[in-house]
Amino acid sequence: MLGFMDYVQQAFFTASHWNPDNSYGSLTATARALLDFPTPNGLRLNFSSLSSPNFATSYTLGSIGEVDGSLSYLYTSLPLQISSKSNDILLRSVIRGYRQLHELRRPDEPWWWEVWHQGKRIDRKNTLLYGRLYLPNSHLEALYLRRLSPTTQLKISCVSSSALKSGGSILVLLQKDVGKYSTEYLYSTDSALLGVRGLYNFGQDPREGAGSPESEALTKVKTAHEGKEGIVGRNGRFSAGAEMYYGLLNKSGGMSTGIRFTTLPSHSGFPYTMTLTLNPLMGNLSSTYAVKAGRSLALCSRFDFNFYSYESELQIGMELWRRRTLQQTDVQWVHKKIQERGGWDIPVSISSLAEKVEDSDEGYRDKDTAGVLKARVNQDWGIGLLWEGRVKELLYTAGILIDVKRKERIFRGVGLEIQYSS
């Protein structure tokens, strides 16, 4: 489950029209959410608040052998009108699962961001500042995020800790996203690392007018099997990307490349996502397949192979959303929703009503959600279980790690994390 500060940062991306999914770093986001989910260790409490649309605070207290905690502060120049109370936050906005990608959005025109007053431009670049202090070891993290233009973003991350060799590290990331493709340039003071990565989406360019004759001529084809006119690329998206980096101090580098195909909401069948990534220098090849097998169930598998050592690893995972039973008092509201969308004029069963409106309203779907169960297992019988949900005004995450082969210590970790925000 996302922390409150991560939730606010995602809201900043949405409000400033930035798509974090259109980057090479998010190529395997669905598989990581279903297979690499972290499980809490020990007991951890989080208290957060969005005191104003521009300012948020968060306090964390944990107990893993010893008591520790952290203090977090966040400021954004862009007012955020979001639900901040833990009993109002949509579960699907803080729980990462199967990522359903949507059509690429056309970037804003630069002049849309201009604000003029008495002949002078008075608009400012949207900025986010974030700081977190860990206690008692005085470990400090900071983030500076600035939207330079509708297609460009600057991100500077800093870490200060006595545990690091140089006492701290700074990472500078310049991102550019025009929809059709995205590029990122990075520099890290750790080993003086330089890197570049990019992602290219095949199909129609969102910057082109959808209604122009040239665009229509290039994208429309006859689909004989359907007997109607279809649009190429509207049911799915194929993407390819790569990254390269080089450390100036240690004189070493690396690279990776990957491809992804994912279905879009217009796809009539089950949504699915397939990825294939390759690191030629390390010899690692990884393939993933994730499918949303039902309205409450998603499955995922990943196969890793190293063609230098011939070692392989298989991992499978799932997420299952638990839904509350529709009560009799909800029938009138549901029936009204159906009539607004040209539904039935005769009474129907409660279960039929629930299925009819399940995909019609995001808010209703979240109220109908009690929580989600995530599970994963690898070929060595390492099992991870995670249950996330809401009780009253509290968001909770409970997890456990099990190693079946270690008879003397089968439970590797058990934890519970509770979040409250106002």
Side-chain angles (χ1 to χ4, degrees):
M1 182 179 293
L2 290 180
F4 185 77
M5 290 304 189
D6 294 325
Y7 166 69
V8 175
Q9 185 175 330
Q10 292 296 320
F12 176 83
F13 290 147
T14 302
S16 61
H17 299 164
W18 182 261
N19 183 11
D21 291 324
N22 193 34
S23 68
Y24 182 75
S26 301
L27 192 73
T28 58
T30 291
R32 294 199 305 267
L34 297 176
L35 299 177
D36 299 331
F37 53 84
T39 56
N41 190 13
L43 177 63
R44 186 162 297 273
L45 305 176
N46 297 279
F47 305 94
S48 308
S49 174
L50 187 66
S51 55
S52 72
N54 302 87
F55 189 74
T57 57
S58 181
Y59 308 96
T60 301
L61 182 64
S63 177
I64 309 176
E66 62 178 9
V67 178
D68 61 358
S70 66
L71 307 175
S72 304
Y73 298 93
L74 184 147
Y75 167 80
T76 169
S77 62
L78 180 64
L80 302 177
Q81 304 297 332
I82 58 174
S83 300
S84 60
K85 295 184 178 180
S86 50
N87 61 331
D88 294 331
I89 295 177
L90 298 180
L91 289 179
R92 294 181 181 272
S93 63
V94 293
I95 298 179
R96 287 294 181 239
Y98 183 89
R99 306 287 284 273
Q100 176 66 74
L101 300 185
H102 299 273
E103 290 283 354
L104 294 173
R105 180 183 178 275
R106 181 179 180 179
D108 293 345
E109 296 293 341
W111 59 270
W112 291 359
W113 288 27
E114 297 179 2
V115 179
W116 295 81
H117 179 68
Q118 296 181 354
K120 296 182 179 181
R121 285 190 60 177
I122 60 173
D123 54 285
R124 297 181 178 181
K125 309 298 184 183
N126 294 323
T127 305
L128 184 145
L129 301 175
Y130 168 72
R132 184 173 187 177
L133 176 63
Y134 292 85
L135 300 173
N137 55 11
S138 299
H139 177 87
L140 180 64
E141 292 180 354
L143 173 66
Y144 175 82
L145 195 64
R146 188 176 181 87
R147 294 298 311 276
L148 303 180
S149 71
T151 59
T152 309
Q153 178 174 270
L154 176 65
K155 184 178 182 180
I156 303 177
S157 304
C158 308
V159 177
S160 176
S161 175
S162 58
L164 298 177
K165 183 178 180 180
S166 57
S169 178
I170 299 177
L171 175 64
V172 181
L173 186 64
L174 181 63
Q175 301 170 294
K176 184 177 180 64
D177 180 11
V178 298
K180 181 69 173 180
Y181 64 89
S182 67
T183 56
E184 297 174 278
Y185 307 92
L186 64 90
Y187 172 77
S188 174
T189 58
D190 188 11
S191 301
L193 184 69
L194 293 172
V196 58
R197 57 187 179 185
L199 181 72
Y200 183 84
N201 300 301
F202 293 86
Q204 185 180 3
D205 192 335
R207 293 172 295 178
E208 297 177 357
S212 64
E214 295 82 1
S215 176
E216 295 294 332
L218 289 173
T219 58
K220 290 187 177 181
V221 296
K222 293 290 184 177
T223 53
H225 64 283
E226 291 181 351
K228 60 181 181 180
E229 192 176 59
I231 305 233
V232 176
R234 290 295 176 87
N235 293 330
R237 182 188 306 149
F238 182 76
S239 307
E243 67 174 350
M244 295 181 293
Y245 51 89
Y246 182 79
L248 299 178
L249 298 182
N250 54 20
K251 306 298 182 182
S252 64
M255 67 170 298
S256 69
T257 183
I259 57 176
R260 177 187 64 194
F261 179 81
T262 182
T263 57
L264 298 178
S266 58
H267 178 63
S268 58
F270 290 116
Y272 63 90
T273 300
M274 301 182 295
T275 66
L276 179 65
T277 56
L278 171 66
N279 188 326
L281 299 182
M282 303 300 296
N284 292 328
L285 180 68
S286 178
S287 62
T288 69
Y289 178 76
V291 59
K292 192 169 177 59
R295 60 178 184 171
S296 304
L297 176 65
L299 305 172
C300 184
S301 63
R302 179 172 60 201
F303 178 74
D304 297 325
F305 178 76
N306 188 287
F307 47 79
Y308 293 150
S309 63
Y310 297 103
E311 293 181 349
S312 62
E313 182 181 1
L314 176 65
Q315 192 172 15
I316 59 176
M318 58 154 286
E319 68 169 3
L320 179 63
W321 290 83
R322 179 176 175 270
R323 300 176 180 276
R324 296 186 178 93
T325 304
L326 192 64
Q327 302 297 326
Q328 292 287 345
T329 55
D330 297 327
V331 173
Q332 185 177 0
W333 183 90
V334 175
H335 194 270
K336 181 180 179 181
K337 277 288 182 182
I338 296 174
Q339 289 181 335
E340 291 176 355
R341 290 160 174 78
W344 311 297
D345 294 328
I346 57 175
V348 293
S349 64
I350 296 177
S351 59
S352 299
L353 287 168
E355 294 177 359
K356 185 70 176 179
V357 301
E358 189 273 331
D359 291 325
S360 64
D361 187 89
E362 187 71 28
Y364 174 75
R365 283 191 324 212
D366 194 80
K367 292 180 180 179
D368 190 38
T369 301
V372 59
L373 172 66
K374 293 185 178 182
R376 65 168 182 259
V377 60
N378 57 27
Q379 61 187 22
D380 297 324
W381 289 103
I383 302 174
L385 299 175
L386 191 71
W387 175 254
E388 298 176 301
R390 175 166 37 216
V391 174
K392 300 299 182 180
E393 297 185 357
L394 300 177
L395 299 174
Y396 67 88
T397 300
I400 183 172
L401 293 177
I402 302 174
D403 192 344
V404 177
K405 290 188 175 181
R406 296 182 60 180
K407 303 297 182 181
E408 68 280 1
R409 189 181 178 185
I410 190 172
F411 297 104
R412 295 175 51 193
V414 179
L416 174 65
E417 182 176 354
I418 298 176
Q419 298 186 43
Y420 173 81
S421 60
S422 61

